[in-house]
């Protein structure tokens, strides 16, 4: 049985920092020489592909060919910031419709990953912000789910639906799926509402899994993404870098 940790970064809400976390946590995991890390962009918006410095529009082979056409996973030939990448582009938006009638559709990503598991210690999947088939195939393929939650009341309220989805999959399609933790994101301790939300996240979700230290709100993430590099390379002394390192260290201990 493979010891590869396959971590789906999932929240059906958009704008919670999934893509940036996928890239940055992958980078910190990859800084340990023994860790071989692969990132998979499973969002039709292809933001992870862009953040990693590729142009989605001119990327010939993407994850679409693997999950719809059942071709081998098209891993980008060169490592980017010490990580492998399976890119995406807008073609992936058609996958939701094309997989509706497909046999064993929930297994498409799991089957695509099977031949390459021994090549990686960590596989991080950037899920789309929806509860559609692309998110389902990610969660079926994953060993763990990591949940970014923006420190806003509305974002926190949506966690119930997310947890019900995970619970449903654990009853059937992926009985061993484990919640790796919750990451509060875009946290501004100066605002009363975000402080209250942070307190509620900790109180209500820590019985289910680890609630990690919050990622502070900062324009530096957007600037680093625009520069197509991880935050640790863009601004090594930024306070969020230390938080990301701690979370990556915890992920290394996942069983």
């Amino acid at each position: 049985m493979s010891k590869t940790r396959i971590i789906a970064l999932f929240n059906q809400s958009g704008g919670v920092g999934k893509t940036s976390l996928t890239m940055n946590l992958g980078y910190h995991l990859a800084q340990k020489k023994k860790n071989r890390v692969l990132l998979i962009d499973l969002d039709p918006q292809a933001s992870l592909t862009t953040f990693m410095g590729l142009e989605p529009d001119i990327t010939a082979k993407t994850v679409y060919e693997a999950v719809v056409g059942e071709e081998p996973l098209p891993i980008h030939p060169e490592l980017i910031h010490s990580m492998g990448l399976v890119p995406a582009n807008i073609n992936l938006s058609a996958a939701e419709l094309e997989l509706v009638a497909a046999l064993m559709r929930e297994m498409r990503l799991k089957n695509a990953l099977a031949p390459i598991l021994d090549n990686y210690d960590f596989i991080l999947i950037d899920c789309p912000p929806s509860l559609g088939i692309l998110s389902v195939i990610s969660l079926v393929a994953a060993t763990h789910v990591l949940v970014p939650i923006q420190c806003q009341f509305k974002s926190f309220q949506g966690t119930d639906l997310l947890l019900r989805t995970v619970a449903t999959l654990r009853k059937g399609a992926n009985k061993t799926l484990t919640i790796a933790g919750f990451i509060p994101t875009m946290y501004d301790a100066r605002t009363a509402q975000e402080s209250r939300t942070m307190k509620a996240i900790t109180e209500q979700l820590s019985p289910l899994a680890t609630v990690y230290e919050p990622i502070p709100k900062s324009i530096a993430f957007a600037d680093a993404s625009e520069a197509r590099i991880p935050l640790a390379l863009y601004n090594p002394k930024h306070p969020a870098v230390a938080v990301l390192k701690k979370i990556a260290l915890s992920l290394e201990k996942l069983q």
Side-chain angles (χ1 to χ4, degrees), residues 116-129:
I116 58 115
L117 286 183
D118 289 341
N119 300 340
Y120 297 98
D121 301 291
F122 291 92
I123 297 174
L124 273 58
I125 307 169
D126 184 25
C127 299

Side-chain angles (χ1 to χ4, degrees), residues 44-63:
Q45 296 176 71
S47 297
L48 180 62
T49 301
T50 303
F51 288 4
M52 291 285 279
L54 301 186
E55 296 295 338
D57 294 344
I58 58 171
T59 303
K61 292 276 188 178
T62 69
V63 72

Side-chain angles (χ1 to χ4, degrees), residues 22-239:
T22 304
M23 180 183 183
N24 283 285
L25 290 175
Y27 173 78
H28 287 292
L29 286 168
Q31 293 317 290
K32 301 284 180 69
K33 296 299 180 192
K34 65 182 177 67
N35 286 337
R36 299 160 300 167
V37 178
L38 176 68
L39 307 184
I40 298 180
D41 191 350
L42 212 71
D43 187 342
Q45 296 176 71
S47 297
L48 180 62
T49 301
T50 303
F51 288 4
M52 291 285 279
L54 301 186
E55 296 295 338
D57 294 344
I58 58 171
T59 303
K61 292 276 188 178
T62 69
V63 72
Y64 170 86
E65 279 75 23
V67 297
V68 175
E70 297 185 279
E71 296 180 17
L73 271 178
I75 299 167
H76 184 70
E78 294 90 31
L79 292 178
I80 306 172
H81 309 306
S82 306
M83 297 175 282
L85 173 69
V86 177
N89 61 23
I90 195 63
N91 291 345
L92 194 56
S93 59
E96 296 274 357
L97 287 174
E98 293 179 52
L99 288 173
V100 165
L103 289 172
M104 301 291 288
R105 59 184 180 173
E106 291 86 358
M107 302 296 292
R108 288 296 180 93
L109 184 59
K110 187 180 179 77
N111 292 341
L113 288 173
I116 58 115
L117 286 183
D118 289 341
N119 300 340
Y120 297 98
D121 301 291
F122 291 92
I123 297 174
L124 273 58
I125 307 169
D126 184 25
C127 299
S130 75
L131 290 172
I133 187 63
L134 293 175
S135 291
V136 170
I137 66 173
S138 301
L139 294 170
V140 169
T143 57
H144 299 79
V145 55
L146 189 59
V147 183
I149 304 176
Q150 188 179 357
C151 291
Q152 295 281 344
F153 180 66
K154 185 181 175 187
S155 182
F156 176 50
Q157 273 197 314
T159 313
D160 281 350
L161 180 58
L162 183 154
L163 292 172
R164 286 202 299 273
T165 302
V166 171
T168 300
L169 287 169
R170 286 169 71 169
K171 286 177 186 171
N174 189 353
K175 289 185 164 75
T176 58
L177 181 63
T178 303
I179 299 176
F182 303 93
I183 304 179
T185 62
M186 306 178 193
Y187 179 53
D188 185 349
R190 297 170 300 176
T191 72
Q193 193 220 46
E194 292 194 18
S195 296
R196 286 195 304 271
T197 303
M198 182 65 218
K199 186 169 183 282
I201 288 171
T202 305
E203 288 175 352
Q204 295 182 39
L205 297 180
S206 54
L208 302 177
T210 303
V211 175
Y212 291 102
E213 190 177 334
I215 308 286
K217 185 181 289 182
S218 173
I219 192 66
F221 280 104
D223 292 340
S225 298
E226 187 180 354
R228 301 184 171 193
I229 56 175
L231 182 63
L233 295 178
Y234 181 81
N235 183 353
K237 295 183 178 176
H238 193 282

